[in-house]
Amino acid sequence: MQVDLTRMLVNLSLALDFSRRGLLRHHQRVAVIALRLGEAAGLSARERFDLFAASMIHDAGAVTWPEKDALEVFDVSHPWEHCHRGYQFTADVPLLAPAAEVILSHHDRWEGGNPSGRAGAAIPLASRIIHLADRVDVLLDDRRHVLSQSEEIVRQVKELSGSVFDPELVDLFAGLAEAESFWLDITGPCLAENLLKMVEGYRVILEPAQLMGLACFFARIIDAKSPFTRHHSQGVARAASFLAARLGMTQGECFLMEVAGLLHDLGKLSVPEEILEKPGRLTREEFSWIKQHTYYTYWLLKPLDEVLPVVRWAAYHHEKLNGKGYPFRLRERDLCLGARIMAVSDIYAALREDRPYRRGLAWPEIEKILRGEVEGGALDRRVVEALLDSRRELDDIFYAVTAGCPATSRSNRP
């Protein structure tokens, strides 16, 4: 299993960048600025990689679109809540734990008065770097040419040297900013390529447990977007892994099915909360937003497709055997067992959970709906029968997930 963490973070960070203004690429841009500052500050290859990883997820705690809107103001008010939530999302994931303290303090002011209690050099250097890089990116106006703004941005940053920003980093930034290429690298079309090149000297290939940790981290972000989905990704993941075992898939495949379940709704981060939480029937326009989420799941997970089947299992969960699903309109011949299991698991979990327009359904109602989908040619009969024959086990899974038990079953790890 050759999954490159660098490539995964470059792609997955895009899921954090959806807002009312579209796909901002904020995390990639902050990472480019931060890495240039880190290099100028003399950081080692390992330190620059850790800086890169923290930069790529630094705003993970800003889950909803209103929270992201608030961060687009340069002199941001009360940023600490999203810093603390990002810390909580990250601290117990061993792969990402080095970024936790960095994320916690990435809005700390140099002069102090921070909820973290830190000031000056006591603030982690990576936090100071990301803070400066983050605010530089916020100052950029996409409606103007970047080079026409550079002097003004440098001036604004210098005015806050020694109060908001580390003065030594401000001096390094001012030096870097003299080169037109510094600004063009931030706003040009080759952000991802630049990032991969900037950290190519330190490569991390994920172990299975690390891949699961990364999936759990993003599942927390996905499920935090709405109170109605707070357990959905974990519920789908564990139901899908259980059904995969029941239907004869290998231990390794069951493990990857759980990873795919955790990430299946990654594209939901592109959907406004008011649509996810609407108590009534969606309009055609609103449903169009919903339909795009599996498309984005597919492309955000695409780097995995070269080595693992996770992307197809995750992204095809709204496709139907009769070709009437979305967004690719795939048919029975195109849908492998993993994709069919994920489709059934997703519908089951959605029916079992409370939603803004209804309470969670009981088994007789779930069975009626699932059998109707089978008869209509949408779902795989064998998968549905396996699910309906496993009600007691699935009830145990459902109650364990809603009680907050860990998502990963050790028995499913290869």
Side-chain angles (χ1 to χ4, degrees):
M1 187 177 74
Q2 294 289 305
V3 179
D4 185 344
L5 176 60
T6 303
R7 186 170 291 277
M8 285 300 299
L9 286 176
V10 168
N11 248 49
L12 291 175
S13 72
L14 294 174
L16 308 177
D17 281 338
F18 288 104
S19 77
R20 297 188 197 283
R21 294 200 294 116
L23 183 59
L24 300 182
R25 296 185 182 271
H26 172 67
H27 286 81
Q28 291 185 358
R29 287 156 62 145
V30 167
V32 168
I33 300 169
L35 285 170
R36 292 296 305 276
L37 284 168
E39 184 179 22
L43 298 188
S44 67
R46 172 57 193 262
E47 289 170 330
R48 291 199 303 274
F49 184 85
D50 288 344
L51 175 63
F52 158 79
S55 298
M56 298 308 286
I57 58 172
H58 71 275
D59 277 343
V63 174
T64 67
W65 285 15
E67 289 172 328
K68 294 177 184 181
D69 291 344
L71 295 178
E72 292 185 31
V73 179
F74 177 66
D75 188 16
V76 60
S77 300
H78 310 298
W80 321 116
E81 183 177 345
H82 89 277
C83 296
H84 187 255
R85 188 187 296 129
Y87 168 84
Q88 290 178 313
F89 284 162
T90 312
D92 65 347
V93 179
L95 175 69
L96 302 175
E101 292 290 339
V102 175
I103 291 170
L104 181 65
S105 288
H106 82 272
H107 277 281
D108 279 2
R109 298 166 64 94
W110 175 260
E111 65 187 357
N114 304 303
S116 69
R118 296 166 175 158
I123 303 168
L125 177 57
S127 299
R128 287 177 262 153
I129 291 173
I130 292 173
H131 187 195
L132 177 53
D134 176 80
R135 294 297 88 190
V136 168
D137 185 53
V138 166
L139 283 173
L140 287 170
D141 185 347
D142 292 336
R143 297 166 296 181
R144 298 169 55 196
H145 195 284
V146 65
L147 297 181
S148 71
Q149 308 173 58
S150 59
E151 292 183 4
E152 181 183 343
I153 292 174
V154 171
R155 178 187 58 77
Q156 287 183 265
V157 168
K158 283 184 172 180
E159 287 176 355
L160 298 174
S161 178
S163 56
V164 175
F165 303 123
D166 179 340
E168 292 185 14
L169 291 178
V170 171
D171 289 343
L172 291 176
F173 166 68
L176 293 169
E178 292 177 1
E180 288 85 354
S181 61
F182 173 82
W183 300 98
L184 296 171
D185 281 345
I186 301 167
T187 56
C190 302
L191 267 174
E193 291 85 346
N194 281 341
L195 280 170
L196 293 172
K197 186 171 181 60
M198 292 171 86
V199 291
E200 65 183 356
Y202 196 90
R203 191 166 182 239
V204 175
I205 301 299
L206 296 179
E207 298 290 333
Q210 292 174 318
L211 177 62
M212 181 64 76
L214 188 64
C216 287
F217 170 74
F218 276 93
R220 290 172 179 175
I221 299 167
I222 297 162
D223 288 353
K225 189 170 172 67
S226 168
F228 295 101
T229 59
R230 63 188 184 276
H231 303 298
H232 181 69
S233 297
Q234 289 189 23
V236 171
R238 295 188 59 181
S241 179
F242 171 82
L243 289 175
R246 185 75 183 260
L247 291 164
M249 296 180 77
T250 67
Q251 185 179 7
E253 288 171 327
C254 294
F255 171 85
L256 292 175
M257 186 64 72
E258 187 164 353
V259 170
L262 289 167
L263 296 173
H264 80 285
D265 269 348
L266 190 62
K268 277 259 178 86
L269 296 176
S270 73
V271 181
E273 289 80 25
E274 55 264 31
I275 292 178
L276 295 177
E277 298 178 0
K278 184 176 178 179
R281 186 177 182 84
L282 298 181
T283 66
R284 183 183 181 89
E285 173 76 13
E286 290 165 339
F287 192 49
S288 295
W289 283 89
I290 295 293
K291 284 184 174 180
Q292 77 178 23
H293 85 274
T294 44
Y295 177 84
Y296 282 119
T297 293
Y298 179 84
W299 285 107
L300 293 167
L301 294 178
K302 197 67 171 70
L304 285 174
D305 203 28
E306 299 173 4
V307 290
L308 297 173
V310 166
V311 61
R312 283 157 280 160
W313 295 351
Y316 294 169
H317 67 274
H318 282 294
E319 303 293 337
K320 297 181 178 181
L321 302 182
N322 58 16
K324 296 180 179 179
Y326 63 82
F328 300 109
R329 298 286 170 164
L330 301 176
R331 300 189 67 87
E332 183 173 358
R333 64 179 177 271
D334 305 309
L335 297 170
C336 62
L337 178 59
R340 299 177 189 207
I341 289 172
M342 195 65 66
V344 172
S345 301
D346 180 65
I347 293 175
Y348 155 73
L351 295 174
R352 195 80 169 82
E353 299 158 354
D354 292 340
R355 288 298 163 101
Y357 47 86
R358 57 145 176 83
R359 299 284 294 174
L361 303 182
W363 273 109
E365 297 166 291
I366 293 172
E367 179 176 0
K368 181 179 179 181
I369 291 170
L370 290 177
R371 291 196 184 280
E373 292 293 302
V374 170
E375 296 307 317
L379 298 180
D380 186 300
R381 183 181 301 275
R382 187 163 69 107
V383 179
V384 169
E385 292 298 339
L387 182 140
L388 294 175
D389 288 343
S390 307
R391 301 177 199 213
R392 180 177 299 174
E393 295 92 336
L394 288 167
D395 276 345
D396 290 343
I397 290 171
F398 176 79
Y399 291 121
V401 167
T402 54
C405 295
T408 306
S409 168
R410 291 183 181 273
S411 63
N412 283 343
R413 290 188 178 180

